[in-house]
Amino acid sequence: MSRITFIIICLISLALPLKAQTAYPTSNIYMFDLEQVSDSNFQFNNPQYLTSFNPNGYNNHPYFFNDSELYISVQLPGVAQPDLYSLNLDEKTKTKVTETPDGEFSPKPMDNSYFFSAVRQEVHGQDTVLRLWQFPVDRTTNGKPVFKYVQGIGYYQWLNSYQIAVYVVEPNNNYLGIADIRSDEVTPLATNPGRSFAKLPNENLAFIQKSPNNNVGLIMEYNLFNRGASPQKIIETLPGSEDFALLPDGTFIMARGSKLFKFNRFMDENWIEIADLRYYDIRNITRLAISDSYKIAIVAD
């Protein structure tokens, strides 16, 4: 091969489009067994470091599919986008659930046991499209979009088998809405919401209404059975925090830095500190997930 031919081949190679790796922030996931000794006394037992297989990578969006199975979103070093993993908490094993050229986030089980859903960040040339996908649990197919036309879903929460609370990302105005998979229609509920929302034990929807003027928002309750009613305030959020998780009895758990706080509207007047996890070198908690058996998964960077 002549020197000129070699140079031409190198130039052609450099001109070929490459799918660049997206750099997501380093984060790790920890788990504790949560024991409520009294109204305000919580013990955090059996600490576990769940993402030791990827300590310098991206590990996020935990969700308990059951008491022994936790799904998470993982980006390993050198991998272009995050994939979903299933962690078997009893057997201490992990299984890669998706392996696509796009990134998957926020896994959640669907009403039946055969499918789960996730936000998929699809890259189309210079454009990125956020869509909600569903995948078979047995991984026999590559899945399909939940909606035919609805895009821009950044976060979501299943309300029943056909309605979903969705955080829709738009260029100038993110909003929270109720989407119907039967019609592909989204009914707006609130503008400038937080990314965290959940169905309460009474079947109503709890969500965060962010304030444009400061870093304290409001946790609001919306009656899904009385769509004409206005959302009602439950409590202000912790300053600078927009993520919460719910205990099975409806108690809210929020984090600020290394500390965890609880609020039960039937017995508490304000947030009550229940733990400081600096001892475990957990210092900046960003997300929480809680199982029906009081296991708590904590994301921290």
Side-chain angles (χ1 to χ4, degrees), residues 25 212 288:
L288 302 167

Side-chain angles (χ1 to χ4, degrees), residues 18-88:
L18 298 176
K19 193 174 182 70
Q21 178 179 359
T22 302
Y24 293 94
T26 299
S27 51
N28 278 284
I29 302 176
Y30 310 84
M31 189 178 74
F32 296 82
D33 293 333
L34 185 58
E35 180 182 357
Q36 185 171 0
V37 180
S38 65
D39 289 345
S40 301
N41 184 5
F42 289 76
Q43 293 183 0
F44 288 72
N45 305 317
N46 189 25
Q48 297 181 56
Y49 175 32
L50 298 182
T51 49
S52 58
F53 65 92
N54 188 35
N56 299 312
Y58 173 82
N59 308 281
N60 215 324
H61 298 267
Y63 198 94
F64 288 95
F65 276 41
N66 51 58
D67 288 340
S68 61
E69 190 174 26
L70 181 74
Y71 273 49
I72 62 176
S73 181
V74 174
Q75 184 185 32
L76 297 171
V79 176
Q81 296 287 344
D83 295 303
L84 299 181
Y85 281 71
S86 169
L87 305 184
N88 188 309

Side-chain angles (χ1 to χ4, degrees), residues 215-228:
N215 65 348
V216 176
L218 299 175
I219 297 181
M220 308 293 291
E221 179 178 9
Y222 178 62
N223 190 329
L224 293 168
F225 300 97
N226 184 8
R227 297 296 178 86

Side-chain angles (χ1 to χ4, degrees), residues 19-25 58 61 73 75 80-84 98 100-106 117-133 135 151-156 169:
K19 193 174 182 70
Q21 178 179 359
T22 302
Y24 293 94
Y58 173 82
H61 298 267
S73 181
Q75 184 185 32
Q81 296 287 344
D83 295 303
L84 299 181
T98 62
T100 72
D102 301 309
E104 281 85 38
F105 308 85
S106 300
S117 54
V119 171
R120 188 169 180 180
Q121 184 174 279
E122 305 173 21
V123 180
H124 302 282
Q126 299 298 315
D127 298 324
T128 299
V129 177
L130 292 171
R131 289 203 291 178
L132 187 65
W133 279 62
F135 303 89
Q151 300 180 0
I153 297 177
Y155 308 96
Y156 68 100
V169 179

Side-chain angles (χ1 to χ4, degrees), residues 8-266:
I8 292 174
I9 291 174
C10 289
L11 291 174
I12 292 174
S13 299
L14 290 173
L16 291 175
L18 298 176
K19 193 174 182 70
Q21 178 179 359
T22 302
Y24 293 94
T26 299
S27 51
N28 278 284
I29 302 176
Y30 310 84
M31 189 178 74
F32 296 82
D33 293 333
L34 185 58
E35 180 182 357
Q36 185 171 0
V37 180
S38 65
D39 289 345
S40 301
N41 184 5
F42 289 76
Q43 293 183 0
F44 288 72
N45 305 317
N46 189 25
Q48 297 181 56
Y49 175 32
L50 298 182
T51 49
S52 58
F53 65 92
N54 188 35
N56 299 312
Y58 173 82
N59 308 281
N60 215 324
H61 298 267
Y63 198 94
F64 288 95
F65 276 41
N66 51 58
D67 288 340
S68 61
E69 190 174 26
L70 181 74
Y71 273 49
I72 62 176
S73 181
V74 174
Q75 184 185 32
L76 297 171
V79 176
Q81 296 287 344
D83 295 303
L84 299 181
Y85 281 71
S86 169
L87 305 184
N88 188 309
L89 304 175
D90 294 333
E91 300 178 2
K92 314 297 184 187
T93 59
K94 67 181 185 296
T95 302
K96 181 184 280 190
V97 177
T98 62
E99 189 169 8
T100 72
D102 301 309
E104 281 85 38
F105 308 85
S106 300
K108 290 182 171 68
M110 297 175 66
D111 264 5
N112 60 63
S113 59
Y114 303 108
F115 294 93
F116 69 93
S117 54
V119 171
R120 188 169 180 180
Q121 184 174 279
E122 305 173 21
V123 180
H124 302 282
Q126 299 298 315
D127 298 324
T128 299
V129 177
L130 292 171
R131 289 203 291 178
L132 187 65
W133 279 62
Q134 68 178 49
F135 303 89
V137 172
D138 60 9
R139 303 186 294 282
T140 53
T141 71
N142 292 326
K144 64 179 183 180
V146 172
F147 296 99
K148 186 175 182 179
Y149 300 109
V150 179
Q151 300 180 0
I153 297 177
Y155 308 96
Y156 68 100
Q157 174 63 55
W158 286 94
L159 302 175
N160 51 50
S161 60
Y162 59 91
Q163 289 181 314
I164 316 172
V166 292
Y167 178 110
V168 180
V169 179
E170 291 194 338
N172 301 313
N173 184 29
N174 300 337
Y175 70 92
L176 179 67
I178 307 296
D180 194 315
I181 66 174
R182 302 168 300 180
S183 62
D184 256 40
E185 294 181 352
V186 182
T187 302
L189 172 60
T191 58
N192 195 30
R195 66 189 183 190
S196 181
F197 40 95
K199 192 162 67 169
L200 294 165
N202 63 6
E203 301 295 318
N204 289 343
L205 179 68
F207 68 93
I208 290 179
Q209 180 69 68
K210 296 170 66 175
S211 170
N213 301 319
N214 56 50
N215 65 348
V216 176
L218 299 175
I219 297 181
M220 308 293 291
E221 179 178 9
Y222 178 62
N223 190 329
L224 293 168
F225 300 97
N226 184 8
R227 297 296 178 86
S230 299
Q232 300 299 307
K233 172 186 171 181
I234 297 177
I235 191 174
E236 291 186 348
T237 64
L238 294 172
S241 298
E242 64 167 297
D243 275 73
F244 67 82
L246 293 174
L247 294 179
D249 68 355
T251 297
F252 290 86
I253 304 294
M254 290 196 81
R256 188 181 184 192
S258 63
K259 296 181 178 181
L260 291 170
F261 299 79
K262 73 101 172 180
F263 173 76
N264 185 308
R265 56 180 165 173
F266 302 111

